[in-house]
Amino acid sequence: MPMKPPLTELPIRVADSGFYRGFAKDVAVTAKVIVGALILWAIAFPEHAAAILGAFNAFILASFNYWYVYVTAFFFLLCVGLALLPASGRLKLGREGDRPEFSNFSWFSMMFGAGIGVGMLTFATAEPMYHFAKNPSTIMGLTEGSTAGNVREAYVWSFTHWGIAAWSAYAIVGLALAYFCYRRGLPLTIRSALTPLFGRAMSGPLGHAVDIFAVVATVLGVSQTLGFGSEQFVSGLWRIGAGDWLYTVAADGTKSTSAMGIVVSLAVIMGLSTLSALSGVGKGIKWLSNLNMVLSLFLLLFFVALGSTWFGLTTLFVGVFDYLASMPGNLFAVWVEDGTETGDALAAWQGGWTIFYWAWWIAFAPFVGLFLARISKGRTVREFVLGAIIIPAFMCFVWFAIVGGTAIDLELSGVAQGAIAEAGQADQLFAMLGVILNGPLAYLLSIVVVVLLLTFLVTTADSAVLIINTIAAAGDEGPKSRPHIVFWGAALALVVGGLIMAGGLGAIQMAMVIGALPFSLVMVLMGLALIKAIWRDSLRMRRGLVASEVVLTAAE
């Protein structure tokens, strides 16, 4: 039977004059109204916002835990399958003569900086330390927390949360967008990836809704990252002597980031990120990403030279083996409250860690995925998957093993004497530097970490602003109006600040889990659309029809 050629035109109505010239007003205005309402709600009614977010979050964790676990497994299996199959793996994300725009180093640096940098600095120490003390095995009584016998279990879960399944969430969005944009000539926006399923309907309200979901999920996902990063940035400023005004001390002696500390950190981060976003991908973002990579390698080499290198390397190889061996079970495991102390504790642990992480990766996926697509034209499907999943995951493993392993070894040996374990999550990396080094050297390296943290935060935020504007402009990658860039930079800062005022980082976490839910459905549909498109393109090629390049003449 004759086959229709693929859809290669997706008209999206944009304003041709006025303040929103070049933007799809239905998307841009609606997304701004939703985000603006969230900001006003969190700032004007913080207690009400915290209560409502908490109720919704509890409902989602109880009702959709299976969903988050299984869709993440689906993303992983699909990405690996498309890369391994010869028919799909060799397909180029572009025309036959297209070549990559960026060198491998710059490509990986931008991808790594946008997708993982801030979280790596926070969690490379904090997460192994937490799981070292408590994880499912300790809950079930199989291992004892904070002992040598619990190290392997700590890394099984650390690697699970930052491994190849997690990065598949980014990859599936980036792969779908690059495929439909560079092979079929469709706009570089989220709705384009659903055209094999819904066709020209994606030009109208259904397509607008998809892009709006993507913008809101991006704002909440990036806000979660900025929230963690800003707290660590404040901790770093305090460590290098910026002043005690950065913290407030409660009557019981507990210390928390002050309102002024939050305001100052967000002003610095978002001010610099807005300036960088105004310069575009090829300038500010590219150079900041390269700087990130250089400083990251320097910091990693420091821990290799002066940290617990043998312990870390042993942990790395044993941890990767344990992770791969446990992946089939852990990838599909779901714990639910069953009325028993152990069952309820396992469900609570999974909701606070695994489900939270899967929601975080999904909420971050429209931003990182579109950014990956933007910088990956001319690469093959197999090359894209290798660059977007395997290499970043292994880099995370190295960081977690060397940096987190040093922290665990210092506590096990008694050298740290609880200084790292008792420090707050945002302060554990700086506390470890204080244990390893003395005086001026610890101070100087703390400055390096603060600078690296700032560049990571700026890279993440400015990339997010550009991506949000690209989605709101119907996939137009060209220069955006300065007021819109400034608006989204300010909006990100206000979302973080408002939600922290409403309930700390927990409020941002709850809002992000809620916002990720509708976009997780969009991502599943993107995966199904990609399967359909590649399958039909392979049939076209078998029949001698043009399917290996962008077809500019027809509609599906």
Side-chain angles (χ1 to χ4, degrees):
M1 295 179 62
M3 292 187 65
K4 294 180 180 179
L7 181 68
T8 58
E9 293 181 1
L10 186 66
I12 303 173
R13 186 178 62 185
V14 297
D16 54 12
S17 62
F19 182 71
Y20 283 98
R21 180 180 180 182
F23 285 85
K25 290 180 65 175
D26 298 284
V27 176
V29 174
T30 306
K32 287 181 178 179
V33 169
I34 293 173
V35 172
L38 175 63
I39 292 170
L40 291 175
W41 181 44
I43 293 176
F45 308 101
E47 293 182 0
H48 182 262
I52 296 297
L53 288 174
F56 269 108
N57 184 71
F59 170 74
I60 288 175
L61 291 180
S63 305
F64 291 91
N65 49 356
Y66 283 97
W67 170 259
Y68 274 120
V69 169
Y70 291 156
V71 296
T72 301
F74 168 69
F75 301 148
F76 163 69
L77 294 174
L78 179 56
C79 286
V80 172
L82 291 177
L84 293 179
L85 290 174
S88 56
R90 64 171 177 262
L91 293 176
K92 178 172 287 190
L93 302 176
R95 303 189 185 193
E96 200 59 39
D98 286 341
R99 295 291 180 267
E101 178 182 358
F102 301 100
S103 68
N104 289 336
F105 182 81
S106 292
W107 178 58
F108 179 69
S109 297
M110 286 189 283
M111 174 183 60
F112 194 75
I116 202 65
V118 177
M120 180 185 64
L121 285 179
T122 302
F123 288 101
T125 306
E127 183 158 359
M129 284 295 299
Y130 181 92
H131 297 323
F132 174 57
K134 182 180 180 180
N135 59 60
S137 291
T138 62
I139 294 173
M140 291 184 286
L142 303 177
T143 59
E144 183 180 351
S146 302
T147 64
N150 201 37
V151 173
R152 294 178 68 169
E153 286 298 318
Y155 275 93
V156 164
W157 291 105
S158 296
F159 287 178
T160 294
H161 295 152
W162 295 82
I164 54 182
W167 280 87
S168 298
Y170 295 167
I172 200 66
V173 175
L175 189 58
L177 291 176
Y179 191 92
F180 294 111
C181 176
Y182 299 130
R183 288 182 64 85
R184 297 192 173 180
L186 297 177
L188 186 60
T189 188
I190 303 299
R191 70 177 78 187
S192 294
L194 300 185
T195 52
L197 300 180
F198 301 103
R200 290 188 179 277
M202 298 312 295
S203 292
L206 182 61
H208 299 333
V210 168
D211 283 349
I212 291 168
F213 287 151
V215 170
V216 174
T218 297
V219 169
L220 295 175
V222 172
S223 295
Q224 180 72 62
T225 299
L226 294 177
F228 281 127
S230 62
E231 285 218 332
Q232 192 173 26
F233 183 63
V234 167
S235 178
L237 291 177
W238 181 78
R239 285 277 180 173
I240 61 177
D244 291 335
W245 57 272
L246 294 165
Y247 285 104
T248 57
V249 181
D252 60 358
T254 57
K255 185 174 64 173
S256 61
T257 306
S258 67
M260 184 57 66
I262 294 171
V263 169
V264 170
S265 64
L266 290 175
V268 171
I269 293 163
M270 297 313 303
L272 292 175
S273 66
T274 301
L275 292 175
S276 178
L278 291 170
S279 71
V281 175
K283 296 180 181 178
I285 295 176
K286 175 183 175 180
W287 290 109
L288 277 175
S289 297
N290 288 342
L291 177 60
N292 289 344
M293 186 58 64
V294 172
L295 290 177
S296 296
L297 291 175
F298 170 78
L299 187 61
L300 183 61
L301 289 175
F302 162 80
F303 281 105
V304 170
L306 297 180
S308 304
T309 306
W310 179 250
F311 184 91
L313 290 175
T314 303
T315 299
L316 173 63
F317 290 108
V318 174
V320 169
F321 173 82
D322 289 343
Y323 160 66
L324 294 175
S326 65
M327 181 186 294
N330 289 343
L331 194 59
F332 293 95
V334 180
W335 288 301
V336 296
E337 294 184 359
D338 58 6
T340 66
E341 182 179 354
T342 300
D344 292 353
L346 287 171
W349 182 92
Q350 188 174 44
W353 283 98
T354 306
I355 305 300
F356 157 69
Y357 267 122
W358 293 165
W360 190 9
W361 291 92
I362 288 170
F364 226 53
F367 150 51
V368 179
L370 199 151
F371 187 74
L372 289 182
R374 164 66 183 83
I375 63 176
S376 300
K377 182 178 181 180
R379 300 183 183 275
T380 66
V381 169
R382 185 172 295 114
E383 184 181 8
F384 179 91
V385 171
L386 177 66
I389 297 179
I390 306 299
I391 296 176
F394 184 73
M395 282 294 295
C396 289
F397 296 163
V398 171
W399 265 87
F400 275 62
I402 299 298
V403 180
T406 296
I408 290 175
D409 187 51
L410 290 172
E411 290 291 352
L412 278 175
S413 63
V415 174
Q417 296 182 344
I420 303 171
E422 295 171 6
Q425 176 177 281
D427 196 42
Q428 286 184 324
L429 177 59
F430 296 104
M432 180 167 57
L433 293 176
V435 173
I436 297 174
L437 300 173
N438 295 314
L441 288 178
Y443 181 82
L444 289 174
L445 202 61
S446 294
I447 292 177
V448 172
V449 174
V450 170
V451 172
L452 176 59
L453 180 63
L454 180 61
T455 58
F456 269 135
L457 287 165
V458 170
T459 304
T460 298
D462 61 14
S463 302
V465 168
L466 288 179
I467 292 308
I468 289 171
N469 270 316
T470 298
I471 296 172
D476 178 15
E477 302 174 60
K480 306 300 185 298
S481 176
R482 289 175 179 266
H484 298 285
I485 291 177
V486 173
F487 171 86
W488 285 113
L492 284 171
L494 290 172
V495 168
V496 176
L499 289 175
I500 286 179
M501 290 174 60
L505 286 177
I508 302 179
Q509 176 178 334
M510 290 185 287
M512 183 269 298
V513 171
I514 296 167
L517 185 60
F519 192 72
S520 66
L521 176 59
V522 173
M523 288 176 61
V524 171
L525 294 175
M526 292 173 78
L528 297 176
L530 189 60
I531 293 172
K532 179 182 177 182
I534 291 177
W535 175 62
R536 290 179 66 85
D537 278 354
S538 65
L539 291 179
R540 291 186 182 100
M541 286 188 283
R542 291 176 188 175
R543 299 182 184 187
L545 302 176
V546 177
S548 60
E549 297 184 359
V550 174
V551 182
L552 301 177
T553 59
E556 191 166 32

